[in-house]
Amino acid sequence: MSIGERLRIARTTRGLTQEALANLVQTPLTQGAIAHIEGGRSESSRHIVWIAAALHVRAEWLVTGKGEMFEEPWPWPSISRSAVGELPSHVQEDIGDYIQLKLNKYARKEDETGPDA
C-alpha cells in the first residue's frame, strides 16, 4: 500500500474531504497537494508530520505503513499531553505509581465482588 492510499484511508476514516484536511493542517497546505499525494504523483511531503497530526494517525504508519495507524488515545482530555511531558521525571513517576495503585485497588475490588457488581 502506498503513502497515498494510506492517506486516503486515514482521511476518509476521519470523514474529511481533501479540502477539509488541508484546512486542518497547521501549515499552509492546499487541497491540490493532498490530491497529489493521494494520487501517487508525490510520494513524500514536508508537511507529512502535520498531516498525520491533523488526522490523529501515527506519522510512521502514514509514511511506511509500519505499526498501528492510530495514536494511542489520551484518556484525560482536560490535561494536555505536553504539560504532563514537561513535568520532572520524578513527578511523572509519582503519577504512574498513583495510577498503578488505583489499578491494583480496582482489580482487588473486582476480584472480591465480581465484574458485574
Side-chain angles (χ1 to χ4, degrees):
M1 184 182 320
S2 72
I3 187 173
E5 291 167 320
R6 286 187 296 277
L7 176 55
R8 184 178 305 111
I9 288 168
R11 180 181 57 76
T12 56
T13 297
R14 295 292 184 198
L16 297 170
T17 64
Q18 291 177 346
E19 185 175 1
L21 175 57
N23 291 333
L24 283 177
V25 175
Q26 296 181 9
T27 185
L29 187 68
T30 64
Q31 175 273 326
I34 293 172
H36 275 113
I37 298 169
E38 286 187 5
R41 294 182 297 272
S42 176
E43 282 295 314
S44 66
S45 170
R46 62 188 173 141
H47 305 291
I48 205 71
V49 172
W50 295 109
I51 293 169
L55 290 168
H56 302 288
V57 297
R58 294 178 53 254
E60 180 185 18
W61 174 83
L62 191 55
V63 173
T64 67
K66 293 180 182 175
E68 296 297 318
M69 176 180 177
F70 293 107
E71 301 172 344
E72 289 186 33
W74 183 248
W76 304 284
S78 64
I79 302 169
S80 77
R81 284 181 189 229
S82 61
V84 173
E86 291 170 4
L87 291 171
S89 60
H90 71 279
V91 174
Q92 291 182 19
E93 288 174 20
D94 288 346
I95 292 169
D97 290 345
Y98 179 76
I99 291 170
Q100 188 61 57
L101 177 74
K102 288 294 191 178
L103 290 170
N104 292 343
K105 185 177 179 181
Y106 177 77
R108 281 193 306 272
K109 188 178 202 179
E110 193 171 89
D111 286 344
E112 293 169 3
T113 60
D116 298 328

